[in-house]
Amino acid sequence: MAASRYRRFLRLCEEWPAERSKWQRDLGAFLRQRVAQAFREGENTPISDPEACDQMYESLVRIHTNFYKNKYPRLKDTTFTGVTVEDCRMILATDILKQMEDRKKGTWKRLREKFSAKKPEEDLK
């Protein structure tokens, strides 16, 4: 039984899209990592709580297939502020967030990081 659960999770991981714009914050990558941790021995991994495992799988399938998005369709594809889905994706991209974080730094700190030979983390040691 554990082998079939393992194969189902692997199939789900293969189908789950990887978002290149959100590296290190991607749900698909996190899912793959957790499946690898949970099934360390592959098909031979003993499952202590099969019901919870099945429930977790079904929940992930509902997220992956947009079950609730399809069940409860929205009238408009914008938020109350008027921001579209594409705008949200662009704003949440890792590169944009990094640029925003750099803008929060003061001028002196940015110059120091730019011209310093060592990394700022080393200054704290």
Side-chain angles (χ1 to χ4, degrees):
M1 230 20 210
S4 65
R5 285 185 177 92
Y6 176 66
R7 280 188 235 113
R8 287 190 319 173
F9 272 102
L10 282 182
R11 194 174 329 111
L12 181 63
C13 287
E14 289 173 3
E15 293 174 4
W16 204 286
E19 291 192 45
R20 302 289 179 220
S21 66
K22 294 183 182 176
W23 46 276
Q24 297 179 346
R25 300 179 304 115
D26 181 28
L27 183 59
F30 179 75
L31 174 64
R32 289 175 190 84
Q33 179 185 16
R34 289 296 305 255
V35 168
Q37 287 175 352
F39 292 96
R40 286 189 183 118
E41 298 173 24
E43 294 181 350
N44 299 326
T45 303
I47 298 175
S48 60
D49 192 358
E51 291 82 22
C53 182
D54 292 340
Q55 185 179 18
M56 179 71 69
Y57 174 77
E58 294 300 324
S59 296
L60 289 170
V61 166
R62 283 193 297 270
I63 292 171
H64 176 63
T65 60
N66 291 322
F67 177 79
Y68 291 106
K69 180 182 177 185
N70 298 330
K71 185 174 180 180
Y72 304 107
R74 297 174 55 115
L75 299 176
K76 297 180 181 180
D77 285 337
T78 60
T79 62
F80 72 96
T81 61
V83 177
T84 64
V85 174
E86 285 305 314
D87 291 340
C88 287
R89 280 196 183 116
M90 184 183 74
I91 291 168
L92 293 174
T94 303
D95 296 336
I96 301 296
L97 290 175
K98 193 173 215 174
Q99 288 175 4
M100 290 172 57
E101 188 65 34
D102 287 342
R103 286 186 181 173
K104 286 183 184 177
K105 295 179 183 176
T107 306
W108 178 250
K109 189 169 186 173
R110 274 188 274 147
L111 287 172
R112 195 173 101 201
E113 287 177 1
K114 186 174 183 177
F115 295 109
S116 177
K118 53 185 178 176
K119 295 180 181 175
E121 295 86 32
E122 295 174 0
D123 289 341
L124 299 174
K125 292 179 182 179

